[in-house]
Amino acid sequence: MALISKDDPGRELLLMGNEAVARGALEAGISVAAAYPGNPSSEIIGSLAEVAEDMGIYVEWSVNEKVALEVAAAAAVSGLNALVAMKQNGLNVASDFLMNLNLTGIRGGLVLVVCDDPSGISSTNEQDSRILVKSADLPLLEPSTFHEAKDMVRFAFEVSREINNVCMIRSVTRISHARGNVTLGPLPSARPKPHFDTNIILSALPASLTHPTAHRRFRQAKRLLADSTFNSYQGPDTPELLVITCGSGYLFSQEAVRLLGLESRVGLLKIGTTWPLPEELILSRLRDAGRVLFIEEVDPFLEDNVLELFAEHNTTLPKVSFLGKKSGTVPDLGELSPGLIIGILADLMKVSRPHADEAYSSTATDALRNFAPARSLAFCPGCPHRASYWAVKKALALDGRDGVVFGDIGCYALGVLATGFHQSKTLHAMGSGTGMASGFGMLGRFGATQPAIALCGDSTFYHAAIPALLNALHHQSDLLMIILDNSATAMTGFQPHPGSSVNAMGSQAPAVVIEDLCTSLGLKTVIGDPFDLDESAVTIYELLQESGTKVLILRQMCALVGAKKGPRRYTVTVDQDKCLGDECGCDRFCTRVFRCPGLNWDVSLKKARVDEAICAGCGVCADICPSHAIVRERA
Amino acid sequence: MKKDPFNVVVTGVGGQGNVLASLLIGAVLVDRGYKVTIGETYGASQRGGSVMSHLRISRDRQYGPLMPPQQADLVIALEPSEAARILGQFGNPETVSVVNSRPVYPVDVISGDITYPDLDELKEKIRSLSRESYFLPATEKALELGNPILSNIVLIGYAAGAGLLPIDVDGLEKAIAEYLSPEKVPINREAFLCGMNMVR
């Protein structure tokens, strides 16, 4: 029995925030769940997919976030409960539909969980989704603990069904990708039968009629949220400082107050229903607080909205000074941490912060400076992307026209770094590399001579690159699209996509084959093996000499998937007699430039050496040694 | 547990099984009635970067997923320079360290851009930042067991055997069967016992 579907009410389990969300959805009786994978949200739908068959629900990895929301909405307009989850960038993709769905509303329950990534730990940006939710006139909840994440999902479904509209939940990395105690509730036994009531037309047009309905639903949500138990106050009746916080900021602030011994001086107002605000509760606390500090990630959302509320009531409230991101007291970007909040509170309350003795601190500083070498991000040992970028680098050097690689989202986004030999020159949104290459490929008419390469992964190809490729083809743009097909959505945990022969629930599914699709469009389509370095480089070079839109698929399974599926391809060693070390004219080519974690430079022997605990056995490095000292043997 | 909250950092390099190690420690302790919070680093950081998990273990409350500076009681390091990185930020004179001795070289070291510290000096630095420290050939033991990834369980076994964590082999087996899968019990049990037996 999988963890999140245990029918054991009262049992306490250690669940990831995302698993807690999934469990909450099961307890709320969902029938449908859909998403496109994206960290830190991926495990929500991932864990539901694992129990889909047992629980009798339908779960899919949709082609992109907009389609995921549409799939879930179809269930919700037919009276079912449906969950959809995405990361902050995904909400942008889904927002076109969301900004119309909010006007028509739904008939069942639809909860949209968006997981933000403060500091962009696994994202290109750290955008705060809450601003979009506010402009959609939808209610928003933010959990502060794992158990609360579960209970909030159940509550969100109640709200959604009550107001006939979407209810949003915003999580952050330190909730979604953290784990904590969760007490299980009961699982429902029956689900409604879906029916689309054809007497009702769900049309956002005319907005003159649907927008007022959305506003009415929003006011209804405001009453429901104000009464919820997710908002609480702890601290003295008239605190010297009132901390207003939400999300991960709550547990961090609570610990900071305790560590500094400020329990009798500082009050904590935890807001779980961050939009619309519980106005009465906040106003009652503002009456007794001379100073307010906002602790939240990333933008001043609570801060702006509380300030607005204060302005509306300024004639009846005492003078309050507000501290937060606007006053420069709290950083206006990045993740929060307990250390950061301890520092802020200690300064504001004029108490000393806990500190280690001086000798220890100076040893600690020395350890960080001299004994903890930097670890740049790098492709895994045996990763086909390293080989692909090597071939691109070689081909562009051969070509000599200063070709431009337009990059995309996935593990291969690391191609902007040394591990991809800095070959990718752009990194923005899903599919944007191909769109930009399509535009760049039109600039020959103005005298541009640099060839354009669009690099994209297999999952990204289906998600957003296909329309850009059609655009390039139709306008006869000069570009080479290289699809790095590693047979999985690798960055987020190997979820299947439309090119896979299984679906999220593990059932057989027809695969949409990339080359079949491309050739059916009349595109020149070539397939290569990135592990064959020379052949790949020559192919890229030759394709760059042709005009028009071309596709090259470099196909090799993700090394992490490969390691799970079977033994290594090769046993790789360095022949210590053949490796000339520093005497060779190569200037440590294999380690200095190729930079695979499995191939080291032995400082004492001054020669290359394979680390058998790390090497994945791809054998690619054997082709780059000018002395043929790196030996690969079939394992 | 001698202290509440008891703070553990499991640290290493992406791909060393750090997240799994902290999950198993936490699962055993939740089953024993503790409130456990684990803060993990995922995503891009997994690709060759440093990965750390914070475990906050308490009898009475759910703590936040990141610990304040200088608050680590126990550091379990799958890689020695990562132990130094964690002790530098979260260590204090009472911290105990259990460290896998085998380095995993950053690509920046492999490329020759920077150097890896001398291993003996690194160990000395870890000792000077710990009340007690233990260095183990965990990767070598794991390779003997058939897979270098098992070094994480070898280290947990050692920490349990040395009385640093209230975990026994039965609790671990139950957690693996429930949180991972029953098939994974035998090999991990072997690795745990291997670690335990290294305690003298």
Side-chain angles (χ1 to χ4, degrees):
Chain A
M1 174 62 82
L3 214 52
I4 65 156
S5 59
K6 276 186 192 296
D7 193 7
D8 194 0
R11 172 86 195 274
E12 217 166 317
L13 290 175
L14 178 67
L15 294 187
M16 187 190 282
N18 282 342
E19 292 170 331
V21 167
R23 172 69 189 197
L26 291 177
E27 290 181 9
I30 57 155
S31 298
V32 170
Y36 178 80
N39 284 335
S41 75
S42 308
E43 296 80 6
I44 296 173
I45 300 302
S47 58
L48 285 170
E50 282 175 29
V51 303
E53 205 184 326
D54 283 353
M55 298 298 294
I57 59 174
Y58 174 73
V59 180
E60 73 168 42
W61 286 120
S62 308
V63 70
N64 63 35
E65 292 86 352
K66 179 167 173 278
V67 173
L69 181 58
E70 287 155 352
V71 164
V77 298
S78 306
L80 305 179
N81 277 356
L83 181 83
V84 61
M86 55 195 64
K87 67 184 296 176
Q88 77 279 8
N89 312 74
L91 187 62
N92 300 336
V93 177
S95 65
D96 192 10
F97 179 59
L98 184 67
M99 292 297 173
N100 288 285
L101 182 65
N102 63 339
L103 298 180
T104 68
I106 51 167
R107 300 285 170 265
L110 178 49
V111 173
L112 196 168
V113 183
V114 57
C115 301
D116 283 1
D117 190 12
S119 289
I121 293 170
S122 39
S123 308
T124 47
N125 72 14
E126 59 166 356
Q127 143 195 355
D128 192 323
S129 297
R130 297 177 296 177
I131 286 132
L132 209 74
V133 182
K134 187 177 173 182
S135 69
D137 285 327
L138 293 171
L140 174 69
L141 309 171
E142 292 191 59
S144 287
T145 69
F146 316 96
H147 185 78
E148 190 174 67
K150 188 205 76 165
D151 283 352
M152 260 187 189
V153 174
R154 275 172 53 180
F155 176 70
F157 274 106
E158 287 167 24
V159 172
S160 172
R161 292 194 81 91
E162 191 78 27
I163 66 168
N164 291 124
N165 213 344
V166 182
C167 186
M168 305 272 311
I169 292 179
R170 183 232 194 186
S171 178
V172 290
T173 302
R174 295 300 170 191
I175 301 289
S176 276
H177 273 175
R179 293 172 201 268
N181 295 51
V182 174
T183 306
L184 302 183
L187 294 169
S189 50
R191 285 189 187 81
K193 183 175 175 234
H195 177 71
F196 191 115
D197 183 352
T198 51
N199 293 312
I200 300 166
I201 293 174
L202 292 174
S203 164
L205 171 151
S208 59
L209 293 181
T210 53
H211 203 174
T213 309
H215 284 164
R216 181 178 53 72
R217 289 171 171 149
F218 181 72
R219 286 193 297 274
Q220 203 184 344
K222 192 170 178 172
R223 288 191 291 276
L224 295 169
L225 264 54
D227 295 338
S228 92
T229 54
F230 301 118
N231 307 312
S232 65
Y233 175 76
Q234 61 193 92
D237 289 341
T238 51
E240 292 169 48
L241 177 74
L242 176 69
V243 176
I244 304 183
T245 183
C246 64
S248 59
Y250 170 64
L251 288 178
F252 294 156
S253 301
Q254 194 181 45
E255 182 164 13
V257 168
R258 278 162 55 89
L259 254 169
L260 294 170
L262 294 170
E263 291 99 325
S264 62
R265 297 174 62 196
V266 174
L268 267 186
L269 181 57
K270 168 192 173 295
I271 305 296
T273 63
T274 44
W275 189 250
L277 288 174
E279 295 182 354
E280 283 311 313
L281 174 68
I282 292 172
L283 288 170
S284 73
R285 284 294 147 202
L286 288 180
R287 279 187 195 103
D288 298 319
R291 256 195 328 173
V292 169
L293 171 68
F294 296 97
I295 299 288
E296 64 185 315
E297 292 175 326
V298 171
D299 288 337
F301 182 78
L302 263 180
E303 186 172 342
D304 281 346
N305 294 322
V306 170
L307 285 174
E308 192 180 294
L309 181 68
F310 180 82
E312 285 165 12
H313 295 83
N314 71 330
T315 52
T316 60
L317 287 170
K319 198 177 160 202
V320 180
S321 66
F322 292 99
L323 303 167
K325 294 175 192 286
K326 297 192 151 170
S327 62
T329 315
V330 181
D332 60 359
L333 50 85
E335 270 204 317
L336 296 172
S337 72
L340 178 79
I341 299 171
I342 287 168
I344 293 168
L345 282 178
D347 289 348
L348 287 177
M349 302 306 292
K350 299 194 168 40
V351 294
S352 63
R353 57 188 90 184
H355 57 278
D357 67 77
E358 232 167 77
Y360 190 93
S361 294
S362 78
T363 312
T365 306
D366 182 46
L368 285 175
R369 196 167 295 154
N370 300 316
F371 292 87
R375 280 189 198 276
S376 298
L377 297 181
F379 293 126
C380 301
C383 175
H385 296 331
R386 179 180 290 102
S388 295
Y389 275 115
W390 188 269
V392 167
K393 178 180 151 82
K394 207 166 165 179
L396 286 178
L398 266 173
D399 178 83
R401 288 177 293 165
D402 195 21
V404 185
V405 176
F406 294 87
D408 228 301
I409 306 291
C411 289
Y412 54 91
L414 298 185
V416 296
L417 306 178
T419 193
F421 321 112
H422 303 290
Q423 291 303 294
S424 265
K425 302 302 179 192
T426 68
L427 177 57
H428 300 93
M430 294 286 284
S432 296
T434 309
M436 287 180 77
S438 168
F440 191 80
M442 303 305 294
L443 301 184
R445 68 193 62 205
F446 302 117
T449 55
Q450 296 165 282
I453 292 180
L455 261 189
C456 110
D458 42 336
S459 196
T460 304
F461 174 77
Y462 298 105
H463 178 288
I466 291 174
L469 179 63
L470 298 184
N471 190 71
L473 173 65
H474 179 65
H475 296 102
Q476 296 175 285
S477 179
D478 289 318
L479 76 90
L480 170 61
M481 183 183 200
I482 302 181
I483 301 168
L484 306 176
D485 180 3
N486 61 3
S487 321
T489 316
M491 191 77 176
T492 49
F494 324 114
Q495 295 84 356
H497 54 56
S500 312
S501 51
V502 290
N503 63 22
M505 301 188 291
S507 314
Q508 289 292 309
V512 179
V513 180
I514 298 173
E515 54 269 36
D516 291 356
L517 192 67
C518 293
T519 44
S520 75
L521 297 170
L523 280 163
K524 173 159 189 176
T525 307
V526 181
I527 301 169
D529 176 359
F531 284 172
D532 192 337
L533 289 178
D534 290 343
E535 179 78 26
S536 298
V538 168
T539 306
I540 295 167
Y541 171 80
E542 287 174 354
L543 287 168
L544 285 177
Q545 311 315 307
E546 297 178 26
S547 61
T549 308
K550 296 87 51 183
V551 172
L552 168 64
I553 301 165
L554 288 177
R555 181 167 287 148
Q556 191 58 252
M557 193 183 286
C558 166
L560 298 179
V561 176
K564 281 182 185 153
K565 287 204 169 160
R568 298 174 185 188
R569 282 155 55 113
Y570 296 105
T571 301
V572 183
T573 49
V574 176
D575 184 332
Q576 295 295 316
D577 295 331
K578 278 191 183 167
C579 176
L580 304 175
D582 274 345
E583 306 303 312
C584 180
C586 76
D587 190 16
R588 307 180 36 185
F589 194 64
C590 59
T591 48
R592 181 176 56 86
V593 183
F594 195 63
R595 301 164 77 107
C596 175
L599 188 61
N600 293 334
W601 185 256
D602 191 316
V603 183
S604 52
L605 295 173
K606 296 191 168 52
K607 288 184 181 189
R609 186 171 53 79
V610 170
D611 186 332
E612 77 278 15
I614 297 175
C615 175
C618 71
V620 170
C621 57
D623 288 333
I624 61 166
C625 174
S627 302
H628 305 290
I630 304 175
V631 186
R632 65 179 172 220
E633 286 173 273
R634 279 272 168 201
Chain B
M1 297 261 147
K2 288 174 199 153
K3 197 176 143 282
D4 199 303
F6 189 74
N7 296 320
V8 183
V9 183
V10 181
T11 185
V13 179
Q16 284 194 302
N18 167 315
V19 170
L20 193 71
S22 44
L23 166 65
L24 290 175
I25 295 172
V28 173
L29 295 177
V30 166
D31 204 50
R32 295 190 55 177
Y34 288 93
K35 301 279 181 208
V36 179
T37 305
I38 307 176
E40 294 162 330
T41 320
Y42 266 74
S45 323
Q46 262 185 303
R47 312 290 184 243
S50 308
V51 179
M52 64 168 173
S53 301
H54 289 194
L55 282 98
R56 321 292 310 279
I57 303 160
S58 170
R59 274 290 175 197
D60 47 59
R61 64 170 64 223
Q62 197 85 48
Y63 277 84
L66 293 175
M67 73 181 64
Q70 294 138 22
Q71 298 281 320
D73 299 298
L74 172 64
V75 173
I76 297 176
L78 296 156
E79 203 279 345
S81 72
E82 293 308 314
R85 197 187 313 280
I86 290 304
L87 287 165
Q89 301 168 76
F90 299 99
N92 63 65
E94 294 303 310
T95 308
V96 175
S97 307
V98 176
V99 183
N100 182 10
S101 307
R102 181 163 168 143
V104 175
Y105 297 109
V107 285
D108 318 75
V109 168
I110 288 171
S111 66
D113 295 338
I114 56 173
T115 55
Y116 193 89
D118 176 81
L119 200 54
D120 291 328
E121 287 177 27
L122 174 59
K123 285 182 177 175
E124 192 45 47
K125 188 57 64 177
I126 292 168
R127 278 188 203 102
S128 69
L129 288 169
S130 313
R131 190 186 75 218
E132 293 165 34
S133 50
Y134 307 94
F135 296 91
L136 310 169
T139 302
E140 286 71 14
K141 289 285 176 189
L143 283 168
E144 285 170 24
L145 292 166
N147 194 338
I149 193 81
L150 293 166
S151 60
N152 57 356
I153 307 297
V154 172
L155 289 178
I156 295 177
Y158 187 90
L164 302 168
L165 282 173
I167 291 178
D168 58 20
V169 70
D170 292 341
L172 186 86
E173 281 185 23
K174 187 180 170 199
I176 292 171
E178 192 163 28
Y179 284 76
L180 305 177
S181 79
E183 303 90 76
K184 295 198 171 149
V185 169
I187 187 69
N188 283 293
R189 179 195 156 87
E190 209 182 325
F192 185 82
L193 291 175
C194 166
M196 269 193 135
N197 291 334
M198 287 163 81
V199 181
R200 281 183 244 282

